[in-house]
Amino acid sequence: MNYRTLGKTGMKISEIGYGAWGIGKTAWIGADDQESLNALNRSIELGLNFIDTAIGYGDGHSEKLVGQVAREHAGNIYVASKIPPKNGQWPARAGVPADETFTAEHVISSTEQSLRNLGLDTIDVQQFHVWSDEWVGKGDWLEGVRKLKEQGKIRFFGVSINDHQPANAVKLIETGIVDTVQVIYNIFDQSPEDDLLPACEKHNVGVIVRVALDEGGLTGRITPETVFAKEDFRNSYFKNERKQEVYNRVEKIAADLHISVDDMAETALRYVLSHPAVSTVIPGMRSITNVERNMKVGDGLGLSQDQLAKLKAHRWIRNFYK
């Protein structure tokens, strides 16, 4: 496993991290707790040392599983979590003031709840689960962050950037008060390369990449015939003709790169890890099979310049949530 420095935090983290949304048993349907624990432990055996969870993943269920594993490997695992917006709005909406979303009191009380769920004394990276640059210099949220740092309840502060709005954190990055950002970045959604990633490099802000596999779209396993459980959010994400569109685009990528569709997941992860600003990518891995497949990619080798150049043509500007 190759390790990268998470920006100004100085933490050396595995370039393949663990995204723990899928083990929360909401939105992503089908998780089994024992299988999730087995997958987490297997990933750690293979060198993973960074796990990203949130209080909102199953109302703390994901945090409880992550905490159980982190305590068993005390001192060897870095844990990141997230504070949900006080008003329950995902994503953050323009024009909504900071004191409706993140107050100092809410930042502190949510973090203390996460610490109880995790069974830990400190969260390595605590993040806001949504963000708007309109909040820079507004409200008292930063006082809450500073108090948590002073008390040793969190080590570093980050934000999870709204889906499809990567530039909506550049102002925050320029202030120097944020240590990490988490962002959607993949072969289809290359937009972070425009403004966000250069700003992170300039200000030494760690980059955590989510949705590198496009919620499964870039694994090569989504076909027009794919069926999800009724409650699974992917029914909406891949609604109407979207499964067919994704299938066609993945077939075209594989043909352009002269690879098998079975190699798409590896290619998608390597694409993200080829950018020097990226610290880690956090795919969801609910089975040992997925863990072992993805962990092999964390070898420090990206894609060739020729492959990267060809993939630029597959940028797909779309918003699956509209």
Side-chain angles (χ1 to χ4, degrees):
M1 173 58 64
N2 190 53
Y3 298 86
R4 302 185 179 198
T5 303
L6 184 62
K8 69 183 80 169
T9 73
M11 297 191 306
K12 299 288 187 181
I13 64 172
S14 51
E15 61 181 26
I16 302 292
Y18 193 104
W21 179 23
I23 67 174
K25 302 178 88 168
T26 55
W28 285 79
I29 304 303
D32 173 82
D33 285 351
Q34 190 55 57
E35 184 178 38
S36 298
L37 291 169
N38 291 343
L40 276 163
N41 280 301
R42 181 59 177 150
S43 69
I44 292 167
E45 288 175 6
L46 295 173
L48 181 143
N49 71 350
F50 182 81
I51 305 174
D52 177 85
T53 184
I55 198 170
Y57 298 164
D59 193 23
H61 187 74
S62 173
E63 286 183 323
K64 290 172 183 176
L65 293 177
V66 169
Q68 179 180 333
V69 172
R71 293 192 305 273
E72 291 171 358
H73 299 272
N76 298 318
I77 303 299
Y78 296 115
V79 174
S81 194
K82 304 182 199 74
I83 301 166
K86 184 179 180 181
N87 60 4
Q89 289 183 354
W90 270 276
R93 298 172 189 171
V96 176
D99 58 13
E100 288 186 18
T101 310
F102 294 107
T103 62
E105 185 280 329
H106 177 68
V107 167
I108 292 168
S109 62
S110 289
T111 299
E112 289 174 343
Q113 180 60 56
S114 287
L115 288 169
R116 288 191 291 272
N117 291 339
L118 291 161
L120 299 174
D121 296 325
T122 304
I123 296 171
D124 295 297
V125 182
Q126 181 63 306
Q127 306 157 97
F128 287 3
H129 210 147
V130 300
W131 178 254
S132 170
D133 262 352
E134 294 177 13
W135 302 334
V136 172
K138 305 289 179 61
D140 64 357
W141 56 269
L142 186 55
E143 295 173 26
V145 171
R146 286 174 173 159
K147 184 174 180 180
L148 289 168
K149 283 188 173 184
E150 290 168 2
Q151 294 175 337
K153 293 178 179 177
I154 69 172
R155 295 179 63 196
F156 302 105
F157 165 63
V159 298
S160 183
I161 300 172
N162 291 351
D163 296 354
H164 312 297
Q165 296 180 20
N168 191 7
V170 172
K171 185 177 177 181
L172 175 68
I173 289 165
E174 291 173 345
T175 68
I177 61 178
V178 71
D179 302 304
T180 69
V181 296
Q182 185 176 139
V183 65
I184 290 178
Y185 177 41
N186 57 54
I187 291 170
F188 291 150
D189 192 343
Q190 301 177 24
S191 56
E193 297 172 6
D194 300 340
D195 301 303
L196 178 73
L197 297 183
C200 289
E201 284 189 284
K202 180 180 179 181
H203 296 277
N204 195 24
V205 169
V207 177
I208 303 163
V209 172
R210 70 182 190 271
V211 198
L213 299 175
D214 191 46
E215 310 294 15
L218 285 164
T219 65
R221 293 184 173 84
I222 302 296
T223 73
E225 290 75 39
T226 299
V227 176
F228 301 107
K230 183 179 178 182
E231 304 86 358
D232 198 302
F233 90 101
R234 287 171 292 179
N235 277 315
S236 175
Y237 192 81
F238 294 111
K239 65 186 176 184
N240 301 328
E241 299 302 314
R242 290 171 179 169
K243 284 185 283 191
Q244 183 71 58
E245 290 175 331
V246 167
Y247 177 80
N248 292 345
R249 287 175 180 272
V250 166
E251 290 283 325
K252 184 68 164 58
I253 292 170
D256 282 358
L257 267 62
H258 305 293
I259 61 173
S260 164
V261 170
D262 291 339
D263 295 325
M264 274 303 305
E266 176 179 347
T267 300
L269 293 176
R270 289 192 185 280
Y271 175 82
V272 168
L273 290 169
S274 293
H275 198 291
V278 172
S279 306
T280 188
V281 57
I282 51 168
M285 302 182 284
R286 297 191 296 188
S287 70
I288 288 178
T289 299
N290 287 343
V291 165
E292 292 178 343
R293 181 194 70 213
N294 291 339
M295 293 296 286
K296 290 178 181 177
V297 183
D299 53 14
L301 304 176
L303 297 176
S304 69
Q305 290 303 310
D306 179 62
Q307 289 172 311
L308 290 172
K310 288 180 178 178
L311 287 170
K312 298 305 177 188
H314 293 279
R315 180 167 176 155
W316 184 13
I317 301 173
R318 49 70 163 123
N319 185 339
F320 268 3
Y321 297 98
K322 292 182 179 179

